[in-house]
Amino acid sequence: MSEQTRVLVTGAGGFIGSHLVTYLKDKGYWVRGVDIKEPEFSASTADEFMLLDLRRWENCLKATEGIEEVYALAADMGGMGFISANHALILHNNSLINIHTLDAARENGVKRYLYTSSACIYPEHLQETADVVPLKEEDAYPAYPQDAYGWEKLVTERLCTHYREDYGLDTRIVRFHNIFGEEGTWTGGREKAPAAMCRKAAIAKLTGDHSIDIWGDGEQTRSFCYITDCVEGIYRLMRSDFVEPLNLGQDRMVTINELADMAAASAGIEIKKNHIDGPQGVRGRNSDNTKLREVLGWEPQVSLEDGLKKTYDWIEQQVIAANKESGAVAS
Ligand code: NAD
């Protein structure tokens, strides 16, 4: 049955999208990938890959033509550095992408549509301490997300709900909590904390200079979820009949200092941490997985240490390759 199902993954040139394409191909789906760029680190495994700017309605119509199910991952996004410095760009681009993709899906008779939201939709005032209470799905309201990125995600969640209620498009909404792994952005300003820590540890190992910069005091907390668990969770949610937003993440919280130490352990070195000024986001954030377990009968399986070691090994190879190309180790 699944052999005949034609699915679209938007953002298929990105980190989670490219992994999801491979996962869906392995399940036997016919997969169309769409993005403004090809995947950076390996060729897409999609049956068809279209380069399209999804801010434009007519491109969204092309992308969703003949498609039964959409996994909507395309977004202009990055780590804290990018998200906290590009509010207008993020709100503008992501609003256009999501309004047009969702509406084109309706126009083309798509049956099911999964939207990838974020833990960034949760109110700031629930995340002011490092030993924060894990966030439940219903904590989203009354709404007060931190950045334009979170506001746009929350509005698109509502849009999905209303398209389901008013037009019968069967939507699913997943809220990711810090996904990481191989073939994610690891340098250039859009990378997230796990990739940044692995890169810094790899450079420290290669240069012999073991001091590492950390934004803030490093006591801010997060949970981190490995990519294979992420794509498994996305698929399980898509196949479920659960239509409300659902957290998808690990519920083990660590400080950024601890994350840096784990990256250093993966590199087999000890590091000295320099705490410098920089964007830190909320003080603490963790996922409450009660509903995830209830709805999917499953939760993420890969430990942070195991996932980070695999990620570190891949990033170390990237750093070595970049070093060979430029003749110097990039920072
Ligand atoms: P990513 O940046 O690697 O992938 C997003 C992709 O969207 C990129 O390849 C980008 O080129 C593409 N894109 C941007 N503008 C586009 C446009 N106008 N038209 C077509 N494609 C466009 O990010 P990711 O980590 O793979 O995230 C995937 C989704 O999950 C995003 O919606 C993101 O907001 C969400 N999310 C991710 C995380 C995380 O920890 N990685 C956390 C919360 C939510």
Side-chain angles (χ1 to χ4, degrees):
M1 175 65 186
S2 65
E3 262 106 36
Q4 287 99 44
T5 308
R6 293 168 67 89
V7 303
L8 165 67
V9 176
T10 76
F15 166 48
I16 303 172
S18 56
H19 285 274
L20 181 62
V21 166
T22 302
Y23 179 94
L24 293 169
K25 279 296 302 165
D26 289 347
K27 290 261 175 218
Y29 288 85
W30 184 93
V31 184
R32 176 183 295 154
V34 170
D35 203 297
I36 40 169
K37 64 171 178 67
E38 305 265 356
E40 207 178 326
F41 306 107
S42 52
S44 177
T45 52
D47 294 282
E48 181 177 86
F49 194 92
M50 296 166 91
L51 286 172
L52 294 171
D53 184 342
L54 295 174
R55 288 173 301 180
R56 299 180 67 90
W57 155 253
E58 63 276 17
N59 288 342
C60 293
L61 277 179
K62 280 185 206 154
T64 52
E65 198 181 348
I67 290 295
E68 286 163 68
E69 296 184 350
V70 173
Y71 294 83
L73 280 76
D76 206 349
M77 62 102 59
M80 268 324 299
F82 180 77
I83 283 177
S84 61
N86 293 283
H87 293 127
L89 181 92
I90 286 171
L91 188 48
H92 174 267
N93 287 350
N94 293 341
S95 300
L96 289 177
I97 291 169
N98 287 317
I99 288 172
H100 287 154
T101 310
L102 190 60
D103 201 53
R106 178 189 65 86
E107 182 79 20
N108 274 326
V110 165
K111 294 194 173 56
R112 202 170 275 195
Y113 189 104
L114 181 139
Y115 174 59
T116 52
S117 184
S118 165
C120 292
I121 59 93
Y122 287 111
E124 258 192 279
H125 63 86
L126 297 179
Q127 306 172 75
E128 283 169 348
T129 58
D131 62 344
V132 65
V133 175
L135 294 158
K136 289 190 176 65
E137 286 78 359
E138 53 269 33
D139 291 334
Y141 298 98
Y144 190 23
Q146 189 187 30
D147 285 308
Y149 176 74
W151 278 109
E152 189 281 327
K153 288 283 185 200
L154 196 60
V155 169
T156 300
E157 286 191 4
R158 304 299 297 216
L159 198 64
C160 288
T161 302
H162 294 312
Y163 266 60
R164 178 174 54 77
E165 291 167 349
D166 295 358
Y167 302 135
L169 176 54
D170 194 14
T171 51
R172 303 285 181 274
I173 302 164
V174 63
R175 292 178 183 156
F176 294 147
H177 288 249
N178 298 311
I179 313 302
F180 74 98
E182 301 92 291
E183 304 206 355
T185 303
W186 61 276
T187 189
R190 286 187 185 236
E191 67 279 17
K192 313 233 175 63
M197 291 308 151
C198 288
R199 185 196 69 232
K200 288 175 188 193
I203 291 170
K205 179 179 166 184
L206 294 169
T207 60
D209 175 1
H210 288 190
S211 54
I212 282 186
D213 286 346
I214 303 224
W215 290 345
D217 66 1
E219 290 302 305
Q220 60 273 33
T221 50
R222 294 291 185 278
S223 66
F224 298 96
C225 177
Y226 187 59
I227 184 67
T228 52
D229 281 332
C230 173
V231 293
E232 175 77 26
I234 292 174
Y235 183 69
R236 283 173 180 256
L237 177 59
M238 187 64 139
R239 299 274 57 89
S240 80
D241 57 7
F242 189 73
V243 296
E244 303 299 327
L246 190 69
N247 283 335
L248 177 52
Q250 283 278 6
D251 55 5
R252 172 186 172 199
M253 200 164 60
V254 296
T255 67
I256 298 300
N257 285 329
E258 288 167 337
L259 185 71
D261 286 333
M262 285 182 199
S266 298
I269 59 169
E270 298 224 342
I271 49 166
K272 177 184 168 302
K273 303 182 197 84
N274 300 324
H275 293 107
I276 60 167
D277 279 348
Q280 296 167 54
V282 293
R283 187 65 177 158
R285 176 177 291 154
N286 196 5
S287 175
D288 183 316
N289 283 353
T290 311
K291 199 167 275 176
L292 176 77
R293 283 189 287 268
E294 244 171 60
V295 168
L296 301 186
W298 169 91
E299 65 187 312
Q301 305 289 314
V302 181
S303 73
L304 181 53
E305 284 80 358
D306 287 353
L308 205 64
K309 174 72 176 120
K310 290 188 178 127
T311 308
Y312 174 83
D313 288 345
W314 179 79
I315 288 179
E316 189 185 274
Q317 290 312 308
Q318 304 304 305
V319 171
I320 290 168
N323 186 21
K324 272 195 193 130
E325 225 167 78
S326 72
V329 177
S331 62

